[in-house]
Amino acid sequence: MPGIDECLYEAMTLPGARGAAIVDWTSGLALGSVGDSPNGDHEATAAETAEVARAAAEYQAFAPVDDADDTGSGHEAEGADGADRKGLPVEDLMLTTQSGFHLIRYVETTFDSSVFLYLWLDRHIGNLAMARIRLRSLAERLVLV
């Protein structure tokens, strides 16, 4: 199971990867970062992506109340297949620009996690589908201690 550094370096092995970070979306602080940053400042990128991640996780437009369990916590819901779903109702976010793809993958942990993986891909070289699959795998295996 990879830690923060191993996770980031593995994310950077994806074709077209330009930068990656693990960010706490409550504080907006990067727990780790590698590669380039879209605006040249890893801490500013962490804070800006944290705002997007927090909005998507908390706003009802992305997490409707009727998807939540009876307790109203929004952290347990039943999926279309009838299986219980725990954690945040949003799995990942994808933003596209003329030159790149920005992926945010929420990390589920045993404690009340507010962490996500962020990956910046070159649009002309990167494979969005493969990056999404790899980030899901990394998020499932990531060890935060």
Side-chain angles (χ1 to χ4, degrees):
M1 298 196 140
I4 291 173
D5 291 336
E6 294 87 0
C7 180
L8 291 173
Y9 289 122
E10 189 173 334
M12 289 300 290
T13 65
L14 282 161
R18 299 191 62 189
I22 297 177
V23 180
D24 179 313
W25 53 276
T26 303
S27 66
L29 296 175
L31 304 177
S33 58
V34 66
D36 296 328
S37 175
N39 59 10
D41 180 352
H42 286 285
E43 290 304 320
T45 297
E48 291 166 3
T49 56
E51 288 297 318
V52 173
R54 185 173 32 256
E58 294 176 351
Y59 288 168
Q60 289 187 6
F62 303 111
V65 174
D66 60 344
D67 286 349
D69 68 333
D70 293 336
T71 65
S73 69
H75 292 282
E76 294 183 20
E78 187 174 290
D81 59 2
D84 284 340
R85 303 285 187 239
K86 297 193 185 314
L88 293 169
V90 179
E91 294 177 351
D92 56 20
L93 302 172
M94 296 174 282
L95 299 161
T96 60
T97 63
Q98 292 180 353
S99 62
F101 299 123
H102 302 265
L103 286 93
I104 293 173
R105 176 70 189 196
Y106 295 89
V107 177
E108 296 277 341
T109 62
T110 55
F111 56 92
D112 189 18
S113 179
S114 60
V115 175
F116 64 86
L117 287 167
Y118 167 73
L119 180 66
W120 177 35
L121 287 173
D122 182 283
R123 185 180 183 119
H124 304 291
I125 301 170
N127 181 324
L128 187 56
M130 180 58 69
R132 211 174 149 237
I133 291 167
R134 181 80 58 89
L135 281 186
R136 179 180 58 216
S137 173
L138 286 171
E140 290 170 355
R141 296 183 293 126
L142 176 63
V143 175
L144 296 171
V145 183

